[in-house]
Amino acid sequence: MSFIRNIPDNSLSDKELVNRYKNSGDLGVLGELYQRYMDLVYGVCLKYFKDTEQSKDAVMQIFEELVSKLRKHEVENFKAWLHQVAKNHCLMQLRTPRNLKTVEFKTELVQSEENVHLNGVLEREENFQKLEHCIGTLAEEQHLAIRLFYLEQKSYHEIAESTGKEWNQVRSLIQNGRRNLKLCMEKTETSVKPIQKSI
């Protein structure tokens, strides 16, 4: 799986990394711990979704869940606990009505509210100029990350390698960038609604 970046084991146990993350809140520590089991999480997601791209997206979503979830739970066996978290995430996604396959709505596009919004925009050619304008309002690093991820279809790992950023930094840039894009697009859409109604 090319999107998974393997890192050397620094000899700390899972339990030690869990405790270090709980005490410090350092996402780098959580990222190091999570990367040990990304292949396991990906396998669980693939088993449920039967789709590689959706499974890759779920791996990133589950990491985002862990940021707060791990600090709230007492975890003795991180691997077993993570397996259950991944399983629950997949089951919740499959049970959510918006993720059911229909003619109009593609399951593989479902990642989050922000992603659904952006993917819909990208599919509508008439909104491309508005999207270009909003991308131009982003901070330079967010601008680059969004272009690579959405327009050039690069993975988190590929973006990290090409920009020299850490995986966690790439995740943060894309997450914040798509939120800013969503806000910009909503403002743009709101501003043109009265014109559309008067025609």
Side-chain angles (χ1 to χ4, degrees):
M1 290 173 288
S2 62
F3 77 104
I4 292 177
R5 178 180 168 191
N6 292 318
I7 60 173
D9 186 351
N10 69 352
S11 79
L12 289 178
S13 69
D14 289 355
K15 183 66 174 176
E16 288 171 321
L17 287 176
V18 167
N19 290 334
R20 180 173 291 189
Y21 171 66
K22 284 188 171 185
N23 292 330
S24 68
D26 185 347
L27 289 180
V29 173
L30 179 60
E32 181 177 338
L33 176 62
Y34 189 56
Q35 286 183 25
R36 294 180 179 182
Y37 300 108
M38 283 177 75
D39 55 346
L40 168 70
V41 175
Y42 177 75
V44 171
C45 295
L46 192 60
K47 174 183 175 182
Y48 285 96
F49 295 136
K50 314 295 185 187
D51 180 90
T52 57
E53 290 307 311
Q54 188 179 6
S55 298
K56 290 177 185 179
D57 290 337
V59 170
M60 303 310 169
Q61 291 166 4
I62 291 167
F63 176 81
E64 292 177 7
E65 286 183 22
L66 294 185
V67 172
S68 59
K69 190 170 287 187
L70 183 56
R71 301 189 77 177
K72 298 175 183 176
H73 290 81
E74 287 301 321
V75 178
E76 291 300 323
N77 184 332
F78 179 77
K79 181 178 179 181
W81 180 79
L82 179 60
H83 185 279
Q84 190 61 46
V85 169
K87 178 180 176 181
N88 290 343
H89 174 89
C90 295
L91 290 173
M92 284 297 293
Q93 289 294 309
L94 292 172
R95 289 169 184 165
T96 303
R98 66 176 180 170
N99 291 332
L100 297 176
K101 292 184 178 179
T102 66
V103 174
E104 298 80 17
F105 210 73
K106 295 181 180 178
T107 307
E108 62 267 23
L109 298 180
V110 177
Q111 302 167 35
S112 67
E113 273 188 34
E114 292 87 356
N115 278 7
V116 170
H117 180 85
L118 285 179
N119 284 322
V121 166
L122 289 172
E123 290 178 348
R124 297 195 297 271
E125 188 175 349
E126 65 271 19
N127 284 328
F128 192 75
Q129 286 186 338
K130 284 187 282 185
L131 180 63
E132 283 289 312
H133 164 74
C134 288
I135 288 178
T137 67
L138 298 176
E140 184 177 347
E141 289 184 334
Q142 288 181 6
H143 182 144
L144 177 60
I146 288 292
R147 279 193 173 277
L148 291 173
F149 187 71
Y150 285 103
L151 303 182
E152 298 185 24
Q153 302 294 306
K154 301 289 186 184
S155 68
Y156 279 44
H157 176 61
E158 289 170 331
I159 296 172
E161 285 196 335
S162 66
T163 62
K165 300 283 184 189
E166 292 293 325
W167 182 86
N168 288 328
Q169 291 177 302
V170 171
R171 180 192 64 83
S172 179
L173 286 171
I174 292 173
Q175 183 180 47
N176 293 330
R178 74 186 184 214
R179 284 176 182 163
N180 291 335
L181 266 185
K182 179 176 182 283
L183 290 173
C184 178
M185 290 299 296
E186 286 176 347
K187 287 179 182 177
T188 306
E189 288 169 3
T190 301
S191 67
V192 300
K193 278 181 181 177
I195 299 173
Q196 291 174 333
K197 289 178 180 178
S198 63
I199 294 175

